[in-house]
């Protein structure tokens, strides 16, 4: 009886240690991907948008399930930043609209995601940027009828 209870105690201890090791590994992975996202944000903030996009594509290849949920938002934010640096207004508007779709897909995929409000705020900022770009196009348009139609669209 003593031997069987000793074996049972060792099994319980082993299972407990295995569960703790797995939990520690999972939280370490979460911390790792958060660090990766902070790095991408820092790249975007300093203007290295191409490097940020490249880093996100690298992360996408080996993403954990948690990171896979965050990547569409990070890609949309990076594409938005890339669009804001585009000098050609027509191209910039097309890129803005593509980013808008990315943000909307992120929200539609998981409306209860903790970062969904952040995506909604980005959409509001994006709508403002689209309006300014369209208004700018209208003011710069030499054709009066085109100017009036663009002014009415915004």
């Amino acid at each position: 009886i003593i031997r069987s209870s000793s074996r049972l105690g060792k099994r319980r201890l082993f299972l407990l240690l295995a569960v703790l090791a797995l939990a520690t590994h999972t939280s370490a992975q979460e911390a790792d991907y958060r660090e990766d996202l902070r790095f991408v944000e820092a790249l975007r903030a300093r203007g290295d948008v191409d490097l940020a996009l490249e880093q996100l594509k690298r992360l996408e290849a080996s993403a954990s399930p948690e990171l896979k949920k965050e990547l569409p938002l990070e890609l949309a934010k990076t594409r938005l930043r890339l669009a804001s640096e585009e000098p050609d207004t027509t191209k910039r508007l097309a890129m803005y609209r593509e980013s808008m779709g990315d943000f909307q897909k992120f929200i539609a995929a998981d409306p209860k995601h903790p970062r969904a409000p952040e995506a909604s705020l980005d959409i509001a900022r994006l709508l403002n940027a689209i309006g300014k770009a369209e208004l700018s196009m209208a003011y710069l348009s030499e054709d009066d009828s085109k100017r009036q139609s663009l002014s009415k669209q915004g």
Side-chain angles (χ1 to χ4, degrees):
I1 295 176
I2 294 175
R3 277 188 176 166
S4 65
S5 67
S6 173
R7 284 184 188 166
L8 186 60
K10 286 181 182 179
R11 283 186 182 167
R12 285 184 183 166
L13 179 61
F14 177 75
L15 283 173
L16 178 65
L17 289 175
V19 168
L20 286 174
L22 183 62
T24 304
H25 179 68
T26 302
S27 66
Q29 280 182 337
E30 183 177 321
D32 288 345
Y33 93 79
R34 295 269 180 220
E35 281 299 314
D36 289 334
L37 293 181
R38 277 193 278 278
F39 178 64
V40 168
E41 175 59 33
L43 287 173
R44 274 195 310 255
R46 72 178 217 189
D48 291 328
V49 184
D50 292 332
L51 288 175
L53 196 57
E54 194 176 304
Q55 179 67 19
L56 286 170
K57 292 195 188 254
R58 261 190 245 133
L59 289 172
E60 197 170 31
S62 63
S64 67
E66 295 84 14
L67 178 57
K68 283 184 182 183
K69 291 179 184 177
E70 305 261 343
L71 278 175
L73 177 61
E74 292 299 325
L75 284 166
K77 285 175 164 285
T78 304
R79 288 186 183 121
L80 173 59
R81 182 69 188 265
L82 194 60
S84 68
E85 295 175 359
E86 174 60 49
D88 182 358
T89 307
T90 305
K91 287 181 185 176
R92 186 171 58 246
L93 278 170
M95 293 169 80
Y96 279 161
R97 289 191 175 98
E98 185 180 346
S99 293
M100 174 78 74
D102 292 342
F103 284 119
Q104 289 170 336
K105 285 178 196 170
F106 174 78
I107 293 171
D110 187 3
K112 302 276 187 205
H113 191 281
R115 294 185 70 192
E118 181 182 341
S120 294
L121 182 59
D122 284 326
I123 287 174
R125 289 181 181 139
L126 187 52
L127 287 169
N128 185 27
I130 288 171
K132 285 180 179 180
E134 287 177 345
L135 187 60
S136 173
M137 281 180 66
Y139 284 140
L140 295 175
S141 177
E142 294 178 17
D143 182 11
D144 282 339
S145 62
K146 186 176 180 182
R147 183 181 308 137
Q148 288 176 353
S149 72
L150 284 172
S151 293
K152 289 178 184 178
Q153 284 180 359

